[in-house]
Amino acid sequence: MSKQILVAENVELKVASESKYQAIERVGNLLVSAGYVNKNYIEGMKAREDEVTTYMGNGVAIPHGMNEYKKEIIASGIVIAQYPEGVDFGDGNIAYVVIGIAGKGEEHMEILSKIALTVQYEENVERLRVAKTPEEVISIIDEGEM
């Protein structure tokens, strides 16, 4: 694989609270500017959110495009926005970490499950929420299961 899936430039720290759709646009635009997806993928991310929330629990949301938008994916990638104050994903669900993902083919499920293993532990999410550097965020994700 030529492109790295998660790099420091794709981690935004201390983002001020905004609406869930602004947060989805933010991570979508990060995916676009990093060259992982075409701009249309962001529409697929919003459509997915309209259909079923991408809030995964434990203070984490993982927006990603609907299947019909997979053709907009250029390369697999992950981007992360940290919201110390949180983003309201509805129904009292507050996301402190919003992880935008684009997975090409089979890599989609691999990426999702790797992230899920990390964020199933509240202490990992808390560490992501207070991380001070992009490198720290990446190492928490890379550690995966405790």
Side-chain angles (χ1 to χ4, degrees):
M1 180 193 298
S2 51
K3 244 177 146 25
Q4 272 196 294
I5 287 184
L6 178 58
V7 293
E9 299 84 72
N10 299 338
V11 178
E12 267 191 43
L13 300 176
K14 296 187 179 75
V15 182
S17 208
E18 55 192 355
S19 79
K20 70 176 178 178
Y21 288 104
Q22 288 170 313
I24 291 168
E25 258 176 50
R26 176 180 301 276
V27 295
N29 283 317
L30 277 171
L31 286 168
V32 171
S33 60
Y36 295 123
V37 300
N38 295 316
K39 191 110 179 103
N40 286 348
Y41 188 74
I42 299 172
E43 292 314 307
M45 295 172 88
K46 290 182 187 165
R48 159 83 61 188
E49 190 62 40
D50 287 339
E51 198 175 82
V52 58
T53 185
T54 55
Y55 181 82
M56 300 296 175
N58 276 0
V60 177
I62 307 179
H64 51 284
M66 296 183 72
N67 283 345
E68 52 267 40
Y69 287 84
K70 282 204 186 247
K71 62 183 183 297
E72 303 297 341
I73 299 173
I74 300 161
S76 295
I78 302 173
V79 298
I80 299 175
Q82 174 203 64
Y83 291 90
E85 309 299 308
V87 171
D88 187 348
F89 267 75
D91 297 325
N93 295 323
I94 307 295
Y96 300 100
V97 181
V98 177
I99 304 173
I101 69 167
K104 206 136 174 73
E106 296 304 302
E107 290 174 351
H108 185 77
M109 288 317 293
E110 274 173 51
I111 293 170
L112 255 178
S113 56
K114 182 171 172 55
I115 293 168
L117 287 173
T118 302
V119 301
Q120 70 181 330
Y121 300 104
E122 282 178 36
E123 57 270 30
N124 284 348
V125 176
E126 190 51 36
R127 287 167 64 210
L128 288 170
R129 180 182 176 184
V130 300
K132 300 280 183 267
T133 66
E135 291 74 17
E136 194 181 340
V137 168
I138 291 169
S139 74
I140 294 165
I141 298 281
D142 281 343
E143 282 166 28
E145 282 187 272
M146 302 280 280

